[in-house]
Short mmCIF file of all heavy atoms in Angstrom, two decimals:
data_model
loop_
_atom_site.label_atom_id
_atom_site.label_comp_id
_atom_site.label_asym_id
_atom_site.label_seq_id
_atom_site.Cartn_x
_atom_site.Cartn_y
_atom_site.Cartn_z
N TYR A 702 144.17 125.15 125.60
CA TYR A 702 143.89 124.13 124.74
C TYR A 702 144.78 122.83 125.18
O TYR A 702 144.28 121.73 125.29
CB TYR A 702 144.25 124.42 123.28
CG TYR A 702 143.29 125.26 122.61
CD1 TYR A 702 143.60 126.51 122.20
CD2 TYR A 702 142.01 124.72 122.23
CE1 TYR A 702 142.70 127.42 121.58
CE2 TYR A 702 141.20 125.56 121.50
CZ TYR A 702 141.58 126.88 121.14
OH TYR A 702 140.58 127.71 120.44
N PHE A 703 145.99 123.10 125.32
CA PHE A 703 146.96 122.01 125.82
C PHE A 703 146.60 121.43 127.16
O PHE A 703 146.71 120.23 127.27
CB PHE A 703 148.42 122.54 125.76
CG PHE A 703 148.98 122.84 124.43
CD1 PHE A 703 148.88 124.05 123.82
CD2 PHE A 703 149.46 121.72 123.67
CE1 PHE A 703 149.28 124.29 122.49
CE2 PHE A 703 149.90 121.93 122.32
CZ PHE A 703 149.79 123.21 121.74
N ARG A 704 146.27 122.25 128.12
CA ARG A 704 145.95 121.79 129.45
C ARG A 704 144.58 121.06 129.39
O ARG A 704 144.40 120.05 130.10
CB ARG A 704 145.76 123.04 130.35
CG ARG A 704 147.23 123.59 130.74
CD ARG A 704 147.07 124.77 131.70
NE ARG A 704 148.42 125.14 132.08
CZ ARG A 704 149.03 124.69 133.08
NH1 ARG A 704 148.66 123.71 133.78
NH2 ARG A 704 150.40 125.12 133.33
N THR A 705 143.58 121.43 128.55
CA THR A 705 142.40 120.72 128.43
C THR A 705 142.55 119.40 127.84
O THR A 705 142.09 118.39 128.25
CB THR A 705 141.40 121.61 127.54
OG1 THR A 705 141.20 122.87 128.09
CG2 THR A 705 140.08 120.84 127.44
N VAL A 706 143.50 119.36 126.80
CA VAL A 706 143.83 118.13 126.07
C VAL A 706 144.57 117.23 127.13
O VAL A 706 144.32 115.92 127.15
CB VAL A 706 144.55 118.34 124.75
CG1 VAL A 706 144.99 116.89 124.33
CG2 VAL A 706 143.67 119.01 123.81
N ALA A 707 145.50 117.81 127.83
CA ALA A 707 146.21 116.99 128.93
C ALA A 707 145.36 116.39 129.99
O ALA A 707 145.63 115.17 130.28
CB ALA A 707 147.24 117.90 129.49
N TRP A 708 144.24 117.02 130.34
CA TRP A 708 143.37 116.48 131.26
C TRP A 708 142.54 115.32 130.69
O TRP A 708 142.46 114.32 131.26
CB TRP A 708 142.34 117.67 131.64
CG TRP A 708 141.19 117.18 132.46
CD1 TRP A 708 139.93 116.72 132.07
CD2 TRP A 708 141.05 117.08 133.88
NE1 TRP A 708 139.09 116.35 133.03
CE2 TRP A 708 139.84 116.52 134.28
CE3 TRP A 708 141.98 117.32 134.84
CZ2 TRP A 708 139.47 116.28 135.55
CZ3 TRP A 708 141.66 117.06 136.35
CH2 TRP A 708 140.34 116.55 136.57
N GLY A 709 142.18 115.49 129.45
CA GLY A 709 141.51 114.49 128.59
C GLY A 709 142.35 113.17 128.35
O GLY A 709 141.80 112.10 128.44
N LEU A 710 143.71 113.50 128.12
CA LEU A 710 144.47 112.38 127.81
C LEU A 710 145.23 111.84 128.97
O LEU A 710 146.14 110.89 128.73
CB LEU A 710 145.47 112.85 126.74
CG LEU A 710 145.01 113.04 125.33
CD1 LEU A 710 146.12 113.65 124.39
CD2 LEU A 710 144.36 111.78 124.72
N SER A 711 145.03 112.34 130.16
CA SER A 711 145.84 111.83 131.29
C SER A 711 145.82 110.58 131.66
O SER A 711 146.74 109.99 132.29
CB SER A 711 145.47 112.84 132.53
OG SER A 711 144.20 112.66 132.77
N SER A 712 144.67 109.85 131.19
CA SER A 712 144.55 108.42 131.51
C SER A 712 145.03 107.54 130.28
O SER A 712 144.85 106.32 130.29
CB SER A 712 143.13 108.14 131.84
OG SER A 712 142.24 108.43 130.82
N VAL A 713 145.53 108.15 129.32
CA VAL A 713 145.90 107.47 128.04
C VAL A 713 147.43 107.34 128.14
O VAL A 713 148.11 108.24 128.44
CB VAL A 713 145.49 108.23 126.90
CG1 VAL A 713 145.97 107.58 125.54
CG2 VAL A 713 143.98 108.49 126.68
N VAL A 714 147.95 106.28 127.65
CA VAL A 714 149.43 106.03 127.51
C VAL A 714 149.81 106.77 126.27
O VAL A 714 149.51 106.34 125.08
CB VAL A 714 149.64 104.44 127.52
CG1 VAL A 714 151.26 104.31 127.19
CG2 VAL A 714 149.31 103.76 128.62
N LEU A 715 150.57 107.72 126.51
CA LEU A 715 151.04 108.66 125.32
C LEU A 715 152.38 108.05 124.78
O LEU A 715 153.27 107.50 125.37
CB LEU A 715 151.42 110.10 125.85
CG LEU A 715 150.19 110.75 126.48
CD1 LEU A 715 150.59 112.05 127.00
CD2 LEU A 715 149.22 110.99 125.21
N PRO A 716 152.48 108.20 123.34
CA PRO A 716 153.65 107.69 122.67
C PRO A 716 154.86 108.78 122.87
O PRO A 716 154.68 109.81 123.33
CB PRO A 716 153.22 107.72 121.28
CG PRO A 716 152.24 108.82 121.17
CD PRO A 716 151.48 108.81 122.37
N ASP A 717 155.99 108.40 122.37
CA ASP A 717 157.09 109.30 122.21
C ASP A 717 156.85 110.39 121.51
O ASP A 717 156.00 110.40 120.52
CB ASP A 717 158.39 108.66 121.82
CG ASP A 717 158.96 107.52 122.78
OD1 ASP A 717 158.66 107.47 123.95
OD2 ASP A 717 159.55 106.52 122.27
N GLN A 718 157.52 111.61 121.69
CA GLN A 718 157.08 112.85 120.87
C GLN A 718 157.28 112.82 119.48
O GLN A 718 156.77 113.50 118.63
CB GLN A 718 157.87 114.07 121.50
CG GLN A 718 159.37 114.04 121.34
CD GLN A 718 160.07 115.21 121.64
OE1 GLN A 718 159.50 116.33 121.48
NE2 GLN A 718 161.12 115.37 122.45
N ASP A 719 158.20 111.83 119.05
CA ASP A 719 158.43 111.78 117.53
C ASP A 719 157.48 110.93 116.77
O ASP A 719 157.51 110.65 115.69
CB ASP A 719 159.77 111.30 117.25
CG ASP A 719 160.85 112.33 117.68
OD1 ASP A 719 160.44 113.64 117.63
OD2 ASP A 719 161.90 111.92 118.02
N ASP A 720 156.39 110.17 117.58
CA ASP A 720 155.66 109.29 117.00
C ASP A 720 154.24 109.90 116.75
O ASP A 720 153.76 110.72 117.51
CB ASP A 720 155.37 108.07 117.96
CG ASP A 720 156.59 107.14 118.16
OD1 ASP A 720 157.39 107.25 117.19
OD2 ASP A 720 156.68 106.43 119.07
N ASP A 721 153.67 109.52 115.62
CA ASP A 721 152.27 109.94 115.24
C ASP A 721 151.40 108.75 115.68
O ASP A 721 151.77 107.59 115.56
CB ASP A 721 152.23 110.32 113.86
CG ASP A 721 150.88 111.24 113.58
OD1 ASP A 721 150.02 111.25 114.40
OD2 ASP A 721 150.93 111.84 112.63
N THR A 722 150.22 108.90 116.06
CA THR A 722 149.41 107.67 116.49
C THR A 722 147.99 108.07 116.11
O THR A 722 147.42 109.03 116.24
CB THR A 722 149.57 107.66 118.04
OG1 THR A 722 148.60 106.67 118.53
CG2 THR A 722 149.30 108.86 118.82
N ALA A 723 147.40 106.87 115.74
CA ALA A 723 145.87 106.95 115.39
C ALA A 723 145.07 107.12 116.63
O ALA A 723 144.01 107.58 116.51
CB ALA A 723 145.60 105.69 114.50
N ASP A 724 145.55 106.61 117.73
CA ASP A 724 144.81 106.70 119.00
C ASP A 724 144.56 108.16 119.39
O ASP A 724 143.42 108.36 119.72
CB ASP A 724 145.41 105.95 120.09
CG ASP A 724 145.59 104.44 119.90
OD1 ASP A 724 144.70 103.84 119.09
OD2 ASP A 724 146.51 103.74 120.51
N ILE A 725 145.54 108.94 119.32
CA ILE A 725 145.26 110.37 119.63
C ILE A 725 144.41 111.01 118.62
O ILE A 725 143.50 111.86 118.97
CB ILE A 725 146.50 111.14 119.82
CG1 ILE A 725 147.38 110.57 120.94
CG2 ILE A 725 146.43 112.57 119.93
CD1 ILE A 725 148.71 111.28 121.30
N ASN A 726 144.57 110.77 117.40
CA ASN A 726 143.77 111.28 116.24
C ASN A 726 142.17 110.85 116.58
O ASN A 726 141.29 111.60 116.47
CB ASN A 726 144.14 110.82 114.92
CG ASN A 726 145.08 111.79 114.18
OD1 ASN A 726 144.90 112.98 114.31
ND2 ASN A 726 145.97 111.21 113.67
N ASP A 727 141.99 109.59 116.95
CA ASP A 727 140.69 109.06 117.34
C ASP A 727 140.08 109.79 118.47
O ASP A 727 138.96 110.11 118.59
CB ASP A 727 140.79 107.57 117.57
CG ASP A 727 139.48 106.86 117.82
OD1 ASP A 727 138.69 106.95 116.87
OD2 ASP A 727 139.25 106.58 118.99
N TRP A 728 141.02 110.19 119.57
CA TRP A 728 140.59 110.80 120.70
C TRP A 728 140.09 112.23 120.19
O TRP A 728 138.88 112.65 120.62
CB TRP A 728 141.67 110.95 121.73
CG TRP A 728 141.19 111.59 122.97
CD1 TRP A 728 140.80 111.03 124.16
CD2 TRP A 728 141.20 113.03 123.25
NE1 TRP A 728 140.34 111.88 125.06
CE2 TRP A 728 140.77 113.18 124.55
CE3 TRP A 728 141.39 114.18 122.47
CZ2 TRP A 728 140.43 114.43 125.20
CZ3 TRP A 728 141.35 115.41 123.19
CH2 TRP A 728 140.90 115.59 124.47
N PHE A 729 140.67 112.96 119.43
CA PHE A 729 140.27 114.23 118.97
C PHE A 729 138.98 114.14 118.07
O PHE A 729 138.11 115.04 118.32
CB PHE A 729 141.34 114.94 118.21
CG PHE A 729 142.36 115.68 118.90
CD1 PHE A 729 143.52 115.06 119.37
CD2 PHE A 729 142.13 117.07 119.34
CE1 PHE A 729 144.56 115.79 120.09
CE2 PHE A 729 142.96 117.67 120.19
CZ PHE A 729 144.17 117.12 120.46
N ASP A 730 138.87 113.09 117.34
CA ASP A 730 137.77 112.84 116.60
C ASP A 730 136.46 112.72 117.39
O ASP A 730 135.31 112.94 116.81
CB ASP A 730 137.89 111.75 115.51
CG ASP A 730 138.95 112.00 114.37
OD1 ASP A 730 139.23 113.19 114.17
OD2 ASP A 730 139.39 111.07 113.89
N HIS A 731 136.64 112.14 118.54
CA HIS A 731 135.48 111.87 119.44
C HIS A 731 135.34 112.83 120.59
O HIS A 731 134.38 112.59 121.43
CB HIS A 731 135.55 110.42 119.94
CG HIS A 731 135.36 109.42 118.83
ND1 HIS A 731 136.38 109.01 117.97
CD2 HIS A 731 134.24 108.69 118.45
CE1 HIS A 731 135.85 108.08 117.15
NE2 HIS A 731 134.65 107.97 117.35
N HIS A 732 135.94 113.87 120.68
CA HIS A 732 135.85 114.78 121.80
C HIS A 732 136.04 116.29 121.21
O HIS A 732 136.66 116.50 120.18
CB HIS A 732 137.04 114.71 122.80
CG HIS A 732 136.88 113.43 123.42
ND1 HIS A 732 136.06 113.13 124.56
CD2 HIS A 732 137.69 112.11 123.33
CE1 HIS A 732 136.21 111.91 125.07
NE2 HIS A 732 137.14 111.27 124.22
N GLU A 733 135.17 117.07 121.74
CA GLU A 733 135.22 118.49 121.40
C GLU A 733 135.96 119.35 122.44
O GLU A 733 135.76 119.35 123.66
CB GLU A 733 133.79 119.12 121.39
CG GLU A 733 133.64 120.59 120.83
CD GLU A 733 132.35 120.99 120.85
OE1 GLU A 733 131.33 120.20 121.10
OE2 GLU A 733 132.11 122.20 120.57
N VAL A 734 137.08 119.99 121.89
CA VAL A 734 137.97 120.78 122.81
C VAL A 734 137.78 122.28 122.33
O VAL A 734 137.81 122.73 121.15
CB VAL A 734 139.39 120.48 122.65
CG1 VAL A 734 140.35 121.39 123.43
CG2 VAL A 734 139.66 119.04 122.97
N ALA A 735 137.43 123.19 123.37
CA ALA A 735 137.28 124.59 123.08
C ALA A 735 137.93 125.39 124.20
O ALA A 735 138.17 124.87 125.30
CB ALA A 735 135.91 124.89 122.74
N VAL A 736 138.15 126.58 123.96
CA VAL A 736 138.49 127.67 125.01
C VAL A 736 137.54 128.80 125.11
O VAL A 736 137.15 129.33 123.98
CB VAL A 736 139.89 128.14 124.80
CG1 VAL A 736 140.14 129.41 125.71
CG2 VAL A 736 140.98 127.11 124.90
N GLU A 737 137.04 129.22 126.28
CA GLU A 737 136.09 130.19 126.39
C GLU A 737 136.58 130.94 127.68
O GLU A 737 136.50 130.64 128.68
CB GLU A 737 134.67 129.68 126.65
CG GLU A 737 133.58 130.69 126.67
CD GLU A 737 132.18 130.18 126.74
OE1 GLU A 737 131.71 129.55 125.64
OE2 GLU A 737 131.68 130.24 127.74
N GLY A 738 137.07 132.28 127.24
CA GLY A 738 137.58 133.11 128.36
C GLY A 738 138.86 132.47 128.99
O GLY A 738 139.67 132.12 128.36
N GLN A 739 138.67 132.27 130.29
CA GLN A 739 139.85 131.78 131.07
C GLN A 739 139.64 130.34 131.47
O GLN A 739 140.35 129.81 132.32
CB GLN A 739 140.04 132.59 132.29
CG GLN A 739 140.61 133.90 131.99
CD GLN A 739 141.75 134.03 131.26
OE1 GLN A 739 142.81 133.53 131.77
NE2 GLN A 739 141.88 134.44 129.95
N VAL A 740 138.65 129.62 130.77
CA VAL A 740 138.46 128.13 131.07
C VAL A 740 138.52 127.33 129.80
O VAL A 740 138.40 127.89 128.62
CB VAL A 740 137.08 127.93 131.74
CG1 VAL A 740 136.94 128.69 133.01
CG2 VAL A 740 135.99 128.33 130.71
N GLY A 741 138.94 126.06 129.97
CA GLY A 741 138.87 125.19 128.80
C GLY A 741 137.53 124.30 128.68
O GLY A 741 136.99 124.24 129.85
N LEU A 742 137.21 123.95 127.67
CA LEU A 742 135.90 123.15 127.51
C LEU A 742 136.22 121.79 126.84
O LEU A 742 136.80 121.74 125.79
CB LEU A 742 134.82 123.95 126.62
CG LEU A 742 134.40 125.27 127.27
CD1 LEU A 742 133.43 125.92 126.16
CD2 LEU A 742 133.67 125.18 128.49
N LEU A 743 135.81 120.73 127.69
CA LEU A 743 135.97 119.45 127.07
C LEU A 743 134.50 118.79 126.94
O LEU A 743 134.01 118.55 128.05
CB LEU A 743 136.87 118.68 127.96
CG LEU A 743 137.12 117.24 127.51
CD1 LEU A 743 137.76 117.13 126.07
CD2 LEU A 743 138.12 116.48 128.39
N ASP A 744 134.14 118.58 125.79
CA ASP A 744 132.76 118.14 125.47
C ASP A 744 131.77 118.92 126.26
O ASP A 744 130.77 118.46 126.79
CB ASP A 744 132.78 116.65 125.90
CG ASP A 744 133.72 115.86 125.09
OD1 ASP A 744 133.81 116.05 123.90
OD2 ASP A 744 134.17 114.74 125.61
N GLY A 745 131.95 120.30 126.24
CA GLY A 745 131.03 121.21 126.93
C GLY A 745 131.15 121.31 128.45
O GLY A 745 130.59 122.22 128.94
N ARG A 746 132.08 120.59 129.08
CA ARG A 746 132.33 120.68 130.37
C ARG A 746 133.35 121.74 130.79
O ARG A 746 134.46 121.58 130.07
CB ARG A 746 132.69 119.31 131.09
CG ARG A 746 133.21 119.49 132.59
CD ARG A 746 133.74 118.19 133.08
NE ARG A 746 134.24 118.36 134.33
CZ ARG A 746 135.10 117.48 135.05
NH1 ARG A 746 135.34 116.29 134.42
NH2 ARG A 746 135.44 117.67 136.30
N ALA A 747 133.16 122.69 131.57
CA ALA A 747 134.09 123.74 131.77
C ALA A 747 135.15 123.29 132.83
O ALA A 747 134.84 122.61 133.82
CB ALA A 747 133.43 124.96 132.44
N LEU A 748 136.33 123.49 132.41
CA LEU A 748 137.56 123.12 133.33
C LEU A 748 138.30 124.19 133.67
O LEU A 748 138.74 125.03 132.88
CB LEU A 748 138.32 122.10 132.61
CG LEU A 748 137.88 120.91 131.99
CD1 LEU A 748 138.87 120.03 131.09
CD2 LEU A 748 137.41 119.98 133.23
N ASP A 749 138.47 124.57 134.95
CA ASP A 749 139.10 125.69 135.46
C ASP A 749 140.30 125.23 136.36
O ASP A 749 141.42 125.06 136.01
CB ASP A 749 138.20 126.53 136.21
CG ASP A 749 138.77 127.87 136.61
OD1 ASP A 749 140.02 128.08 136.28
OD2 ASP A 749 138.08 128.66 137.32
N GLU A 750 139.95 124.98 137.61
CA GLU A 750 141.07 124.60 138.63
C GLU A 750 141.61 123.14 138.16
O GLU A 750 142.79 122.93 138.47
CB GLU A 750 140.39 124.38 140.04
CG GLU A 750 139.90 125.72 140.66
CD GLU A 750 141.11 126.69 140.80
OE1 GLU A 750 142.16 126.22 141.15
OE2 GLU A 750 140.81 127.92 140.66
N GLU A 751 140.86 122.42 137.53
CA GLU A 751 141.29 121.11 137.06
C GLU A 751 142.63 121.25 136.13
O GLU A 751 143.46 120.33 136.31
CB GLU A 751 140.38 120.31 136.31
CG GLU A 751 139.01 119.98 137.09
CD GLU A 751 138.05 120.98 137.01
OE1 GLU A 751 138.35 122.18 136.71
OE2 GLU A 751 136.76 120.68 137.15
N LEU A 752 142.72 122.38 135.46
CA LEU A 752 143.71 122.62 134.44
C LEU A 752 145.08 122.87 135.23
O LEU A 752 146.10 122.86 134.51
CB LEU A 752 143.40 123.62 133.45
CG LEU A 752 142.17 123.30 132.73
CD1 LEU A 752 141.93 124.37 131.61
CD2 LEU A 752 142.15 121.87 132.14
N ARG A 753 145.05 123.22 136.46
CA ARG A 753 146.22 123.48 137.23
C ARG A 753 146.56 122.29 138.16
O ARG A 753 147.43 122.36 138.99
CB ARG A 753 146.19 124.70 138.09
CG ARG A 753 145.91 126.07 137.19
CD ARG A 753 147.38 126.35 136.45
NE ARG A 753 147.18 127.63 135.73
CZ ARG A 753 148.17 128.04 134.95
NH1 ARG A 753 149.34 127.32 134.90
NH2 ARG A 753 148.00 129.10 134.20
N SER A 754 145.85 121.22 138.14
CA SER A 754 146.08 120.12 139.04
C SER A 754 147.31 119.25 138.65
O SER A 754 147.94 119.32 137.68
CB SER A 754 144.87 119.25 138.79
OG SER A 754 144.78 118.57 137.65
N LYS A 755 147.70 118.53 139.70
CA LYS A 755 148.95 117.70 139.57
C LYS A 755 148.71 116.66 138.41
O LYS A 755 149.63 116.25 137.72
CB LYS A 755 149.14 116.85 140.92
CG LYS A 755 150.37 116.05 140.89
CD LYS A 755 150.60 115.31 142.18
CE LYS A 755 151.84 114.46 142.14
NZ LYS A 755 151.99 113.71 143.46
N ARG A 756 147.48 116.25 138.28
CA ARG A 756 147.15 115.42 137.14
C ARG A 756 147.53 115.89 135.69
O ARG A 756 148.07 115.06 134.84
CB ARG A 756 145.62 114.91 137.11
CG ARG A 756 145.06 114.41 135.88
CD ARG A 756 143.58 114.03 136.05
NE ARG A 756 142.89 113.63 134.89
CZ ARG A 756 141.57 113.39 134.71
NH1 ARG A 756 140.85 113.30 135.81
NH2 ARG A 756 141.04 112.95 133.64
N VAL A 757 147.26 117.22 135.51
CA VAL A 757 147.60 117.88 134.30
C VAL A 757 149.08 118.15 134.24
O VAL A 757 149.80 117.93 133.19
CB VAL A 757 146.97 119.19 134.12
CG1 VAL A 757 147.41 120.05 133.00
CG2 VAL A 757 145.32 118.84 133.94
N GLN A 758 149.68 118.59 135.33
CA GLN A 758 151.19 119.03 135.35
C GLN A 758 152.01 117.82 135.00
O GLN A 758 152.97 117.96 134.32
CB GLN A 758 151.52 119.56 136.79
CG GLN A 758 150.78 120.79 137.22
CD GLN A 758 151.17 121.96 136.26
OE1 GLN A 758 152.05 121.90 135.58
NE2 GLN A 758 150.37 123.04 136.33
N GLU A 759 151.67 116.72 135.58
CA GLU A 759 152.48 115.50 135.27
C GLU A 759 152.61 115.10 133.86
O GLU A 759 153.54 114.40 133.42
CB GLU A 759 152.06 114.33 136.10
CG GLU A 759 152.19 114.47 137.68
CD GLU A 759 151.61 113.31 138.44
OE1 GLU A 759 150.83 112.65 137.82
OE2 GLU A 759 152.03 113.16 139.60
N VAL A 760 151.62 115.41 133.05
CA VAL A 760 151.72 114.97 131.53
C VAL A 760 151.83 116.18 130.65
O VAL A 760 151.78 115.84 129.39
CB VAL A 760 150.38 114.08 131.34
CG1 VAL A 760 150.35 112.84 132.13
CG2 VAL A 760 149.11 114.86 131.48
N LEU A 761 151.64 117.31 131.02
CA LEU A 761 151.53 118.45 130.18
C LEU A 761 152.69 118.55 129.25
O LEU A 761 152.40 118.90 127.93
CB LEU A 761 151.35 119.80 131.08
CG LEU A 761 151.18 121.12 130.15
CD1 LEU A 761 149.87 120.95 129.36
CD2 LEU A 761 151.11 122.17 131.14
N ALA A 762 153.97 118.42 129.61
CA ALA A 762 155.09 118.61 128.75
C ALA A 762 155.03 117.46 127.72
O ALA A 762 155.29 117.77 126.55
CB ALA A 762 156.26 118.55 129.60
N GLN A 763 154.70 116.27 128.16
CA GLN A 763 154.60 115.16 127.17
C GLN A 763 153.55 115.35 126.16
O GLN A 763 153.69 115.16 124.94
CB GLN A 763 154.41 113.88 127.75
CG GLN A 763 154.65 112.68 126.94
CD GLN A 763 154.50 111.40 127.78
OE1 GLN A 763 154.15 111.36 128.90
NE2 GLN A 763 154.72 110.20 127.10
N VAL A 764 152.38 115.78 126.68
CA VAL A 764 151.30 116.09 125.74
C VAL A 764 151.59 117.17 124.63
O VAL A 764 151.39 116.99 123.48
CB VAL A 764 150.00 116.40 126.41
CG1 VAL A 764 148.96 116.97 125.62
CG2 VAL A 764 149.45 115.24 127.13
N SER A 765 152.24 118.31 125.28
CA SER A 765 152.58 119.34 124.40
C SER A 765 153.58 119.04 123.43
O SER A 765 153.65 119.76 122.26
CB SER A 765 153.04 120.58 125.20
OG SER A 765 152.01 120.84 126.04
N ALA A 766 154.53 118.07 123.59
CA ALA A 766 155.43 117.70 122.70
C ALA A 766 155.02 116.79 121.60
O ALA A 766 155.73 116.57 120.52
CB ALA A 766 156.74 117.10 123.45
#
Side-chain angles (χ1 to χ4, degrees):
Y702 284 110
F703 288 94
R704 289 180 176 273
T705 301
V706 171
W708 173 268
L710 289 175
S711 58
S712 60
V713 176
V714 177
L715 296 172
D717 293 334
Q718 64 171 319
D719 293 330
D720 291 338
D721 204 337
T722 173
D724 290 341
I725 292 182
N726 271 319
D727 184 68
W728 185 90
F729 273 95
D730 289 341
H731 289 85
H732 295 279
E733 182 179 356
V734 178
V736 170
E737 186 174 290
Q739 294 299 298
V740 301
L742 298 175
L743 181 58
D744 298 327
R746 176 190 173 186
L748 300 173
D749 186 5
E750 294 298 324
E751 296 93 334
L752 302 187
R753 295 288 179 185
S754 66
K755 183 179 180 181
R756 168 178 167 178
V757 169
Q758 297 296 348
E759 289 178 344
V760 300
L761 184 57
Q763 187 178 7
V764 168
S765 299

